[in-house]
């Protein structure tokens, strides 16, 4: 397939070093894998997110606290 976008990507990367090309390839593969995944939330997860969405701004927690709560609840491990 030759589109204008693909031609532009080829032009930009034409003289790029190998390590950059490998990073770009990994990024592209990651994007394609994300497109293939059919991620579904459980009903419990949907309810949990809805509760968070309904909170007033004063009730919101910082991102680190939120991520720690989600990790402990859904991944059962700590970093």
């Amino acid at each position: 397939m030759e589109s204008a976008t693909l031609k532009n990507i080829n032009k930009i990367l034409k003289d790029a070093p190998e390590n950059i090309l490998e990073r770009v390839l990994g990024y592209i593969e990651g994007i394609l894998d994300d497109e293939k995944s059919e991620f579904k939330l459980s009903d419990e997860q949907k309810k949990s997110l809805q509760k968070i969405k309904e909170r007033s701004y004063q009730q919101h927690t910082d991102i680190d606290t939120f991520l720690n709560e989600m990790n402990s609840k859904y991944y059962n491990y700590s970093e």
Side-chain angles (χ1 to χ4, degrees):
M1 172 173 64
E2 279 293 315
S3 69
T5 303
L6 189 54
K7 287 179 185 178
N8 194 24
I9 291 169
N10 284 327
K11 181 180 173 184
I12 292 169
L13 295 176
K14 185 175 89 173
D15 298 318
E18 188 68 25
N19 66 322
I20 298 296
L21 296 175
E22 289 172 3
R23 289 174 57 194
V24 170
L25 178 60
Y27 181 72
I28 292 169
E29 290 172 340
I31 292 171
L32 293 173
D33 285 345
D34 285 349
E35 288 292 315
K36 293 175 190 172
S37 70
E38 295 183 25
F39 183 77
K40 303 281 185 205
L41 292 175
S42 68
D43 287 340
E44 181 184 355
Q45 290 169 322
K46 290 177 187 177
K47 288 176 187 174
S48 180
L49 289 172
Q50 187 61 37
K51 287 179 184 176
I52 291 169
K53 187 177 177 181
E54 293 170 354
R55 290 180 188 166
S56 70
Y57 287 116
Q58 291 78 20
Q59 292 177 305
H60 283 276
T61 58
D62 66 60
I63 190 66
D64 291 328
T65 302
F66 172 77
L67 291 175
N68 287 336
E69 287 173 4
M70 294 299 107
N71 278 336
S72 66
K73 188 170 185 176
Y74 296 109
Y75 295 114
N76 296 321
Y77 73 91
S78 59
E79 296 182 342

